[in-house]
Amino acid sequence: MILRYYGCHPSNHRPGCAAEGYQTFDGSLLCVSCGRHMSIEEQALDVKAPLTALSIALAELGVEELAGDKHNPRIIEYHQSTTLKATDDETPWCSSFVNWCILKYGEEGTNSARAKSWMHWGKPAPSLLPGDVVVLQRAGNTELYEGPGHVGICNDPATNTMVAGNVSDGVKIQRFDPDKVIAIRRLA
């Protein structure tokens, strides 16, 4: 299955083809016009490639917590992008994951392990686009700024999906209820 990718850079395509493509679950790009395929590794080497926080997040799909006393070093690495700096993979880590993706993209995140810390990051977005940060209210929580939340990076606004960490103990593409969205934020 492939997902629509917005903002493909024209230099990544053969001359004369449309600068529009698709991004696959593994983060690679596929042009629908010329058929060019570019892996996430090739994107990292090509300074003209549209490496985004979303493509970075997609490349992390499948990272999961480890059962028992062991902890996934990648999730601990996500935590190191926050001031909490948790050393286990049981501590809620959706915000740590988004912080890590934003930092890998070369921008500052919130440095916080709280999902709702993203409510004031960047700038407000009037509508949802791929790559936007989506902050969700948790069921049963009536406090807008306090209490638990959830955060991820929008994957496809048409299907209300985002890439998020700590979804059933892993990085997954998750459908969200648009009525639970309390903030949509975009890089300033």
Side-chain angles (χ1 to χ4, degrees):
M1 181 174 182
I2 52 180
L3 306 168
R4 188 160 182 80
Y5 180 79
Y6 298 85
C8 278
H9 196 284
S11 67
N12 290 331
H13 298 274
R14 294 190 180 112
C17 85
E20 186 173 299
Y22 287 84
Q23 185 162 27
T24 65
F25 275 114
D26 67 359
S28 63
L29 300 178
L30 177 66
C31 176
V32 295
S33 297
C34 70
R36 174 162 177 178
H37 181 268
M38 186 178 232
S39 70
I40 190 114
E41 292 81 13
E42 291 170 316
Q43 292 174 56
L45 296 174
D46 185 347
V47 295
K48 299 177 208 159
L51 190 62
T52 64
L54 175 58
S55 63
I56 292 165
L58 285 165
E60 295 298 299
L61 287 172
V63 171
E64 294 187 339
E65 294 177 14
L66 301 177
D69 293 337
K70 294 188 178 192
H71 304 288
N72 188 322
R74 185 59 143 205
I75 295 171
I76 293 169
E77 185 179 331
Y78 301 154
H79 280 309
Q80 301 315 299
S81 67
T82 70
T83 55
L84 181 64
K85 301 205 183 301
T87 57
D88 63 65
D89 60 11
E90 284 91 29
T91 301
W93 50 278
C94 63
S95 182
S96 297
F97 174 71
V98 174
N99 268 293
W100 183 87
C101 292
I102 297 294
L103 283 171
K104 289 292 180 188
Y105 179 62
E107 297 290 338
E108 271 300 308
T110 66
N111 302 320
S112 173
R114 287 188 62 244
K116 290 185 178 178
S117 68
W118 292 92
M119 290 180 65
H120 301 290
W121 173 83
K123 64 182 181 184
S127 61
L128 195 57
L129 293 175
D132 286 345
V133 172
V134 181
V135 184
L136 303 175
Q137 186 78 327
R138 287 270 188 202
N141 180 20
T142 58
E143 295 290 325
L144 182 61
Y145 296 105
E146 298 300 320
H150 188 54
V151 66
I153 298 174
C154 178
N155 180 57
D156 185 356
T159 59
N160 294 321
T161 56
M162 65 182 186
V163 183
N166 204 28
V167 176
S168 300
D169 299 333
V171 176
K172 296 188 171 76
I173 293 181
Q174 175 185 30
R175 288 195 188 283
F176 60 87
D177 179 350
D179 292 335
K180 299 287 184 197
V181 174
I182 54 175
I184 303 168
R185 307 299 292 187
R186 194 168 290 156
L187 277 168

